Amino acid sequence: MKKSCKIAVLPGDGIGPEIMKSALKVLEAISEKYGIQFEFKEALVGGAAIDETGDPLPEETLKLCKESDAILFGAVGGEKWDNLPTDKRPEKGLLRIRKELDLFANLRPAKAYNALLDSSPLKNSIIKGVDLLVLRELTGGIYFGEPRGIEEKNGERVGYNTMIYYEHEIKRIGKLAFELARSRRKKVTSVDKANVLEVSALWREVITEVHNDYADVELEHMYVDNCAMQLIRRPKDFDVIVTGNMFGDIISDEAGALTGSLGMLPSASIGERYAFYEPIHGSAPDIAGKGIANPVAMILSAAMMLEITCKLPEAARDIEEAVDKALEEGYRTTDIWSPGTKKVSTEEMTEVIINHIKQS
Ligand code: NAD
């Protein structure tokens, strides 16, 4: 465990500040329980930063991120800024942070809560017990490969992109996958399209080589089309799924949708030096300021920070169990409410979770 952690707090827009308040309260309870000191410094990002400075990612904010051990991020965006040119919009602030901090790995857990099985589009018997992690390579692959473009050839337009992975890029994400699997159920599924793409054939080869150092972890290779199907048919069989940028973009959304609510899904993006934690949902302008946002995705993002950056896995488990208990007792924010359960506000849900953390 680290004795102290410097955290850059970027609440952003819409429900961002409301759910961030919840996460910080939970972290204060963790600080009291475990004696870890947090140094929170808040900065502007997104629309809030545009309003103050004209820039969605002011220099000062980026500097603070680079001086911190971890960054906690709420959400950005809203109608007010929708008509700005693309490079001036709030979302650009988020993309620039990811690029500037070289966050090469995106972690998206998807877990089925027993109390919420009915929110899943799948049958209870298929979704019950699902607990998987999609690890997506975030800074390489077809989204960044050169050459790329649209041009005229033989009298018509042609569009093209380049899917490219260097060995070192595959190695570092592969290593991370096996390391993460070691603290879970020790199984990695590497997803590619090696039957068609050379870049995938190399991906498969390098992941197999990296596996030589992790004999205690099971490795399986799977084509991406098959993976998309198996995620629906037998999601319980997956533990850590590791894949490239584009396949990961699609598979992580599919995995997220398996379990139901957007308000429950945390994420982490990590690099060699920096780590960034955020819920996967947006700024939900339709419910902003009403005090009804689900704080769980943000709180679970803070739990991921405790585990990965602060090396305090016990505290992360405490938070996850507290969320489980709150749901088991029937507490629900509006987005996950169903008849027969207790509808609570953002603040009330946060308090229930904190009480369970204190009691455990
Ligand atoms: P969204 O995720 O903000 O909202 C989609 C729906 O889910 C809405 O009905 C919303 O009320 C609900 N929802 C989302 N999170 C919730 C929560 N924690 N509790 C309860 N309900 C929740 O997606 P959107 O509506 O497409 O986008 C809204 C804005 O957010 C846009 O400006 C978009 O660009 C931005 N956005 C930002 C991020 C980010 O900051 N990472 C991600 C996606 C979208």
Side-chain angles (χ1 to χ4, degrees):
M1 172 184 126
K2 285 196 173 195
K3 287 206 169 66
S4 62
C5 256
K6 277 189 189 170
I7 320 257
V9 175
L10 314 186
D13 311 315
I15 60 169
E18 301 166 47
I19 55 173
M20 184 64 78
K21 203 169 144 194
S22 297
L24 296 184
K25 274 189 178 170
V26 167
L27 288 173
E28 275 161 27
I30 292 292
S31 167
E32 274 171 35
K33 187 166 173 180
Y34 288 91
I36 183 170
Q37 297 298 315
F38 295 112
E39 191 186 315
F40 297 119
K41 283 201 178 148
E42 195 172 316
L44 292 167
V45 73
I50 295 173
D51 288 351
E52 284 279 322
T53 69
D55 183 352
L57 182 65
E59 254 332 290
E60 222 178 291
T61 301
L62 185 60
K63 186 165 172 278
L64 174 69
C65 292
K66 289 186 172 173
E67 289 166 359
S68 304
D69 297 313
I71 299 130
L72 266 185
F73 183 95
V76 292
E79 212 175 306
K80 180 176 176 192
W81 307 281
D82 275 353
N83 294 324
L84 292 172
T86 319
D87 65 325
K88 296 266 183 305
R89 288 178 53 159
E91 293 79 359
K92 199 70 188 173
L94 177 57
L95 296 179
R96 263 177 55 208
I97 292 183
R98 286 181 182 155
K99 190 163 184 288
E100 292 271 351
L101 304 186
D102 192 21
L103 305 169
F104 71 86
N106 181 242
L107 285 72
R108 279 227 216 155
K111 183 178 157 181
Y113 291 91
N114 283 340
L116 295 182
L117 293 181
D118 288 339
S119 332
S120 169
L122 299 184
K123 280 187 214 145
N124 281 5
S125 59
I126 291 183
I127 196 69
K128 193 169 191 295
V130 167
D131 182 4
L132 59 86
L133 173 71
V134 180
L135 179 62
R136 164 187 171 196
E137 201 290 328
L138 205 56
T139 50
I142 196 165
Y143 291 172
F144 296 96
E146 297 283 348
R148 61 192 296 157
I150 301 176
E151 57 186 55
E152 286 268 334
K153 237 181 197 173
N154 305 329
E156 62 176 345
R157 285 169 300 168
V158 55
Y160 53 92
N161 289 87
T162 303
M163 190 160 176
I164 178 166
Y165 268 116
Y166 284 88
E167 189 178 345
H168 75 271
E169 293 175 305
I170 308 171
K171 264 188 188 153
R172 66 179 179 179
I173 194 88
K175 270 181 146 173
L176 184 60
F178 291 116
E179 294 289 341
L180 289 164
R182 271 191 172 153
S183 60
R184 297 174 51 94
R185 298 194 311 283
K186 296 193 172 56
K187 179 175 174 189
V188 168
T189 305
S190 173
V191 172
D192 60 42
K193 189 71 185 166
N195 49 344
V196 179
L197 302 171
E198 284 77 4
V199 60
S200 277
L202 178 69
W203 177 280
R204 193 171 275 224
E205 215 173 288
V206 175
I207 294 283
T208 306
E209 287 160 13
V210 176
H211 181 232
N212 288 333
D213 293 334
Y214 297 89
D216 54 321
V217 180
E218 182 193 341
L219 168 65
E220 70 174 347
H221 295 284
M222 196 176 276
Y223 298 135
V224 61
D225 40 348
N226 187 26
C227 178
M229 189 164 67
Q230 299 310 334
L231 265 175
I232 304 287
R233 293 175 61 167
R234 49 176 185 92
K236 251 182 288 219
D237 289 355
F238 292 95
D239 181 17
V240 174
I241 296 176
V242 63
T243 189
N245 207 341
M246 182 170 64
F247 298 155
D249 193 1
I250 300 162
I251 292 291
S252 60
D253 263 17
E254 185 187 357
L258 294 180
T259 58
S261 172
L262 211 51
M264 301 290 297
L265 295 166
S267 80
S269 300
I270 62 179
E272 308 284 358
R273 162 74 186 85
Y274 302 105
F276 180 90
Y277 302 89
E278 60 171 334
I280 75 153
H281 60 71
S283 58
D286 52 335
I287 57 163
K290 295 185 177 162
I292 57 170
N294 187 343
V296 171
M298 186 77 239
I299 290 172
L300 291 175
S301 302
M304 291 184 83
M305 178 190 82
L306 290 169
E307 174 149 21
I308 298 170
T309 299
C310 310
K311 312 288 177 218
L312 198 52
E314 312 88 280
R317 294 297 91 75
D318 259 9
I319 295 177
E320 289 162 8
E321 280 163 24
V323 168
D324 263 337
K325 285 181 190 154
L327 295 173
E328 295 289 344
E329 288 167 354
Y331 293 103
R332 304 278 192 279
T333 42
T334 316
D335 56 319
I336 52 173
W337 178 83
S338 58
T341 60
K342 304 170 210 167
K343 197 181 280 184
V344 288
S345 66
T346 310
E347 219 176 309
E348 286 162 336
M349 189 69 167
T350 308
E351 286 311 316
V352 173
I353 293 170
I354 289 175
N355 284 337
H356 281 301
I357 292 171
K358 286 184 176 162
Q359 282 160 19
S360 65

